[in-house]
Amino acid sequence: MFLTISTTGVPERPATDLGFLLHKHPDKAQSFSTSCGRAHVFYPEADEERCTVALLLEVDTVALVRRGKGKGRGGAPDAALAQYVNDRPYAASSLLAVALGNVFSSALRGVCNARPEQPARPRPLRVEVPALPARGGPALVHRLFEPLGWTVTADPVALDTEFPEWGDSRYVRLVLESETLTLAEALRHLYVLLPVLDDAKHYWVAPDEVDKLLRVGEGWLPGHPEQRLITSRYLTRRWSLTRQALERLELVRLAEADDSDVQDIDNAVADESATEEKPTPLAVRRREAILTALRAAGAARVLDLGCGQGQLVQELLRDPAYTEIVGVDVSMRALTIASRRLRLDRMGERQAARVKLLQGSLAYTDRRLKGYDAAVLSEVIEHVDLPRLSALEYAVFGAARPRTVLVTTPNVEYNVRWETLPAGHVRHGDHRFEWTREEFRTWAAEVAERHGYDVEFVPVGPDDPEVGPPTQMAVFTTGTEKEAKAA
């Protein structure tokens, strides 16, 4: 993993000033330990006219696996082979961004005690990254860097030069050139946009990443035309953190437009009373209803089918009564986010033994799902095409056949109460359908009859006297489950 930064100079402003700005002497090769391996800094060329610094990161892939998911704790979703055979040692990613921030931390902040006037001076800069994963292709590379004042060359790297018919890979050879930027600005752009283009991070994204993004993005991110994409990808699409960051960036934009301080803009609205009750989000109410039903069923081994980003799995792990929790989703990306949310890589052995994340489609039977006390399908069925719903029905109720099945789905009648939802629209763009209470009850009753279950219905959220609750839940139980509860 490798990048170079070059500059040119004249005798009165020699190019070797780059060494002062980076706090790295051009005559020395230096090595630094990082969280993912060893970083080496050296200068292939250094004279008055031209100076180039190189950052070479030797990634310790085995250490990454051992520290991360490689032990197989918690049934991490990444394929075992991919832990060892991947592009980490070669392609620029968040690993290189972290090394950049660690090794050039003073330059990133624009600090140079030896020559304090230097950091604020724009200088000719050329940045080269031989292998950069670019999810979005060369066009996205141009959209990200050109608004910042860079001249961009992003040449696609062929999959195999011997077989040109195979086409291009997702990697590009990146060259950035500018005459108007400072070194600190260049480093900040790279620190944020390298992981954005890779669209992945090797570490858990915690809430403090919002502060880091806003700090490093100061002066350029608030006005960037791709601000939303950058923010979302940098925060690994964690919507709560992305929303928080975008709100704070909007405050910065408003403050700049009004020539005011952010604090003045933010304080324009009085704080809400500490005693004022805020409505409980529907997602929270839904999880509360599910947990209540699971406790009532006495379930200890639970399937979360269509677990998404693992919110329910996280809640179940907090209760020791659940001895085995399995999250299943067809999306590998969702499972990766769930793994990070649960911090499976840092989980103790005993806790890790309670949870597994599995990739699988609910349209097919799966022997791994048999023999569990309960299964949860929370806001899942409406994402399935109606002609394929019968396949899901058989896979869950016919093949896996847990003692209790909980199914939640939106109540379309309640949609008229959502002021921001246009008439005739469903709540989510991926919803294939949304049912009335009668339609849901009819479907659930037929499923119960076909597979030998009893079914009851529970409202979730405020039960409107005219249109019912926002979410409806069906609780399916077998005769065995009813006998166990009676005993």
Side-chain angles (χ1 to χ4, degrees):
M1 196 180 295
F2 184 74
L3 71 76
T4 61
I5 302 173
S6 303
T7 188
T8 56
V10 292
E12 58 272 19
R13 294 179 60 182
T16 49
D17 282 349
L18 184 64
F20 286 99
L21 290 169
L22 294 172
H23 296 253
K24 304 292 181 287
H25 199 289
D27 293 338
K28 296 180 180 179
Q30 301 180 57
S31 294
F32 305 86
S33 179
T34 73
S35 61
C36 54
R38 196 146 192 87
H40 305 276
V41 178
F42 56 95
Y43 289 78
E45 56 183 342
D47 54 42
E48 288 184 347
E49 295 183 354
R50 184 173 177 83
C51 185
T52 298
V53 64
L55 174 62
L56 172 66
L57 179 62
E58 287 187 295
V59 178
D60 188 344
T61 53
V62 175
L64 280 177
V65 172
R66 287 173 178 166
R67 188 168 60 249
K69 307 180 185 71
K71 295 180 182 178
R73 289 184 176 183
D78 296 317
L81 184 61
Q83 292 287 337
Y84 297 93
V85 182
N86 53 57
D87 64 0
R88 289 175 185 168
Y90 318 108
S93 65
S94 63
L95 299 171
L96 186 59
V98 169
L100 194 77
N102 290 342
V103 174
F104 300 141
S105 58
S106 296
L108 190 75
R109 299 195 309 272
V111 174
C112 180
N113 294 329
R115 300 192 178 181
E117 76 285 355
Q118 291 281 356
R121 287 181 182 171
R123 63 187 59 247
L125 292 171
R126 179 184 173 92
V127 178
E128 296 187 46
V129 184
L132 172 66
R135 297 181 187 273
L140 179 59
V141 180
H142 284 268
R143 298 206 317 266
L144 293 182
F145 282 103
E146 285 180 346
L148 301 175
W150 292 102
T151 300
V152 181
T153 303
D155 296 326
V157 177
L159 278 172
D160 193 318
T161 55
E162 297 294 323
F163 300 94
E165 66 272 15
W166 290 0
D168 296 326
S169 68
R170 65 183 181 92
Y171 302 92
V172 299
R173 179 183 177 273
L174 176 66
V175 178
L176 303 173
E177 294 177 295
S178 174
E179 300 280 339
T180 60
L181 295 171
T182 67
L183 179 63
E185 289 171 330
L187 293 175
R188 290 170 188 160
H189 297 165
L190 293 169
Y191 184 83
V192 173
L193 297 180
L194 289 182
V196 165
L197 283 164
D198 187 29
D199 199 13
K201 280 196 172 181
H202 72 281
Y203 57 88
W204 168 252
V205 174
D208 62 358
E209 288 290 303
V210 174
D211 295 325
K212 188 189 302 181
L213 173 63
L214 297 184
R215 184 171 61 251
V216 181
E218 183 178 358
W220 64 271
L221 183 56
H224 199 291
E226 297 292 342
Q227 176 201 105
R228 185 173 293 275
L229 179 143
I230 293 169
T231 304
S232 175
R233 285 195 177 191
Y234 185 85
L235 298 171
T236 61
R237 291 185 171 82
R238 292 190 60 188
W239 70 267
S240 58
L241 298 184
T242 301
R243 182 178 63 183
Q244 179 186 341
L246 290 173
E247 289 173 352
R248 291 172 61 180
L249 286 168
E250 178 64 12
L251 282 175
V252 172
R253 189 191 66 79
L254 292 173
E256 289 176 349
D258 198 40
D259 197 20
S260 305
D261 290 334
V262 172
Q263 294 296 331
D264 295 336
I265 297 290
D266 202 18
N267 291 336
V269 179
D271 291 339
E272 294 181 4
S273 169
T275 59
E276 183 179 348
E277 292 188 7
K278 297 181 180 180
T280 303
L282 181 58
V284 174
R285 288 178 178 262
R286 194 158 44 234
R287 286 195 292 273
E288 290 173 347
I290 289 169
L291 293 172
T292 298
L294 290 174
R295 283 192 290 268
R301 302 174 67 241
V302 180
L303 298 168
D304 183 6
L305 304 178
C307 65
Q309 299 181 12
Q311 291 93 331
L312 179 60
V313 173
Q314 189 174 43
E315 290 292 331
L316 293 170
L317 272 172
R318 293 189 175 120
D319 189 340
Y322 301 107
T323 58
E324 185 177 353
I325 305 154
V326 178
V328 181
D329 205 284
V330 72
S331 167
M332 183 62 75
R333 179 172 184 82
L335 291 172
T336 300
I337 294 173
S339 177
R340 290 174 179 167
R341 173 189 295 275
L342 300 172
R343 303 194 179 193
L344 294 181
D345 56 336
R346 307 179 193 176
M347 195 175 283
E349 295 287 351
R350 181 175 298 179
Q351 186 80 332
R354 296 174 57 212
V355 60
K356 287 189 291 187
L357 298 179
L358 305 176
Q359 185 183 28
S361 170
L362 300 181
Y364 303 96
T365 60
D366 191 334
R367 288 180 295 178
R368 297 174 297 176
L369 308 184
K370 289 185 177 181
Y372 285 84
D373 298 331
V376 178
L377 291 138
S378 178
E379 309 299 283
V380 170
I381 62 171
E382 63 272 12
H383 293 272
V384 179
D385 291 320
L386 279 171
R388 304 192 66 176
L389 199 56
S390 59
L392 178 147
E393 172 194 330
Y394 178 75
V396 175
F397 294 91
R401 198 164 179 78
R403 292 193 287 114
T404 299
V405 181
L406 309 179
V407 180
T408 74
T409 193
N411 169 22
V412 70
E413 298 170 74
Y414 194 89
N415 286 1
V416 296
R417 297 292 189 256
W418 300 116
E419 295 180 1
T420 57
L421 185 65
H425 285 236
V426 293
R427 298 183 197 177
H428 190 282
D430 189 52
H431 285 187
R432 304 303 199 262
F433 61 87
E434 288 179 357
W435 276 335
T436 64
R437 287 169 290 174
E438 181 180 354
E439 288 171 329
F440 180 55
R441 287 170 179 261
T442 299
W443 173 81
E446 291 173 352
V447 169
E449 183 177 358
R450 278 193 290 268
H451 299 284
Y453 282 81
D454 294 323
V455 63
E456 299 176 353
F457 300 92
V458 178
V460 179
D463 198 353
D464 188 288
E466 295 181 4
V467 297
T471 294
Q472 42 195 342
M473 180 167 73
V475 180
F476 296 85
T477 53
T478 62
T480 305
E481 167 65 13
K482 292 170 65 178
E483 293 167 5
K485 290 171 65 176

